[in-house]
Structure formats: C-alpha cells, structure tokens
Amino acid sequence: MGADSPRMTRLDAPLALQHATSEIREAIVSGRIRPGERLVEQDLARELGLSRGPVRDALRQLGREGLVVMRPNRGAVVRTVDAEDVIEVYALRASLGSLALRNLLGTGRATEAFVCELEAAGARARAATDQAGLVEADLAFQSLIAEASGLPRVAARFVELTAEIRMFIAVLGIEYGDVGEILAEHAGLIAAIRAGDVERAEGLWGARFSRAEREFLELIPEGPAALLRLPWLALTGSGPEPGRR
C-alpha cells in the first residue's frame, strides 16, 4: 500500500472496494501488517487514496475471509495465528481438496488439456529460484485443482483459505526446505489424476496436507499438543513426530 495511490471517484465504488480489499489482504498475508495490529480505517483510506467507505467494506470482507477480527471498541484487528487456526484451516483445505478431486475425476473434467496445465504449474515450481516463488507456484498448483473441479463454492472457499495459508507462512517464518519432496508430490498427484485413480490422488493430497499441518504446528508453542485436544480434526498421520521439521 502506498500514499501515492490515485483517489477513486464515487463512480468507481466497486473498483475501489476491490482495490482496498486486495491491497489490505496482500499486506496481511505477506506479513507487512502483523497479527494483532489494529487496522485504522482513516489511516488505510489515506494510504490508499480512498474514502473510508470502501475501506470499511474491505475490512468486513476480510473478516469473512478470516484474516481480520472486528472487536468492540478496537475496530478491526489482524487475526493472530494459533494452533487451532492451523488445524481448522488444514482440515478444511484437505476436505475441500478431496471433494475437488472426486468431482474432477468423477465428471471427466481431468482432460489431457487440464493435466498439461497441471504439469505446467508443476514446472513453475521446479523452476522457482527462491522461497517466495516456490510458495506461490505450490499454492497455485493446489488452487488449479480446486478451480477446475466444477464446484464453484469449493473453489471459492479454497481460494479464501489460500490467503490464510500465506499469512501462516509469513507469520510463522515457514521455509520450504523439502523442495524435492514437494516436487515428487506434484508428480505423483499428476500421475494419479492422469490415470483416473481418485483413491491414490486423495491419499497423496491428504498426506501432503498432513505433513504441512505438522510442520506448521511445530512452530507454535504447544502446537502439536493441540492435535491431542482435537483428534477429530487431525488429518491422517498428522500426529506429532519428535524432531521432525
């Protein structure tokens, strides 16, 4: 966000809302605005060159997405990250992904053209030269499956949760040190989808999210122990593994 943003006119209300939502969301998920920090409408409006109306509506939208909490007498505050957040978000992403894969394969949407798109997304991950590039390519690979599923509500919710994952990565300082494993997972999932093997595809998807959930939780005090309190939300195989990072 920058103070030199052009001021929108009244006729640009939908565009102004989209602009405000996008800019504030990006500042949150990238870690520029930290968890627990207040989001002051007047300050944001001045930085974005907007009136307070679209900023207020943007904060409400980000509240629905789970990035912002509206608190009495404090206004909007960036949501903090705790173990329960990670567990819930990963349970949702795993379930949504499973639904997407079932419909993708069950309705014949996994055409050769789509598989080629998925291979291109995997190639972008292989070609990534830094952490940011790999993260974006990996998340885009996952989102492509949801978006091609033919289930618009699944796809929309998956995209919203992707913003929360990006915030988790920034806040917790996640480093993708297992690049080879991620690329192997992409290749395995592509092969399963091409073969129409939904059971194999779901198994690979679940294992990937289980591993990611565990790695995130290990960076939160008492994070792995939260799975013991919420065993019904734990992904298969996501129990604590001492010493695993």
Side-chain angles (χ1 to χ4, degrees):
M1 298 189 296
D4 57 348
S5 301
R7 180 166 291 280
M8 304 284 180
T9 70
R10 290 181 183 274
L11 297 178
D12 295 323
L15 180 60
L17 173 57
Q18 180 181 17
H19 176 68
T21 305
S22 176
E23 289 292 311
I24 299 170
R25 182 193 294 116
E26 180 60 28
I28 292 171
V29 301
S30 67
R32 295 200 305 274
I33 302 178
R34 305 294 294 176
E37 190 171 335
R38 288 186 63 202
L39 296 164
V40 182
E41 287 179 15
Q42 184 174 350
D43 294 345
L44 292 170
R46 183 174 58 254
E47 288 183 42
L48 293 169
L50 299 171
S51 65
R52 293 177 65 175
V55 170
R56 183 180 304 115
D57 290 341
L59 294 177
R60 289 172 179 159
Q61 172 60 33
L62 294 172
R64 290 190 288 272
E65 293 179 16
L67 297 177
V68 168
V69 177
M70 305 301 291
R71 294 181 176 172
N73 303 319
R74 289 197 67 193
V77 179
V78 178
R79 189 185 191 103
T80 57
V81 178
D82 58 31
E84 286 74 14
D85 292 328
V86 171
I87 292 169
E88 182 180 3
V89 167
Y90 269 103
L92 278 169
R93 275 176 78 82
S95 297
L96 291 170
S98 182
L99 287 172
L101 286 167
R102 291 179 193 178
N103 209 59
L104 182 70
L105 295 174
T107 60
R109 292 175 179 273
T111 62
E112 185 59 28
F114 167 72
V115 174
C116 288
E117 282 188 69
L118 210 52
E119 287 177 330
R124 287 191 289 274
R126 287 196 304 275
T129 58
D130 57 20
Q131 164 82 1
L134 179 59
V135 168
E136 290 306 314
D138 182 43
L139 293 176
F141 179 94
Q142 297 171 22
S143 293
L144 185 59
I145 292 172
E147 290 163 1
S149 69
L151 299 172
R153 294 171 185 82
V154 166
R157 188 65 183 121
F158 195 87
V159 168
E160 289 180 0
L161 291 170
T162 296
E164 292 197 67
I165 293 296
R166 290 180 63 207
M167 182 178 73
F168 293 169
I169 290 171
V171 171
L172 298 175
I174 290 288
E175 291 290 337
Y176 277 36
D178 50 358
V179 178
E181 193 166 3
I182 290 171
L183 298 180
E185 287 164 348
H186 287 177
L189 196 51
I190 290 170
I193 290 172
R194 175 172 270 132
D197 189 341
V198 66
E199 184 175 347
R200 174 64 175 161
E202 282 192 87
L204 289 168
W205 182 273
R208 169 64 194 283
F209 281 93
S210 170
R211 180 170 59 81
E213 175 187 62
R214 183 173 58 245
E215 292 180 349
F216 277 55
L217 289 175
E218 287 178 354
L219 295 176
I220 299 174
E222 303 300 320
L227 286 172
L228 303 179
R229 299 195 303 272
L230 302 167
W232 47 86
L233 291 180
L235 302 179
T236 302
S238 61
E241 285 185 15
R244 171 65 191 269
R245 180 49 201 96

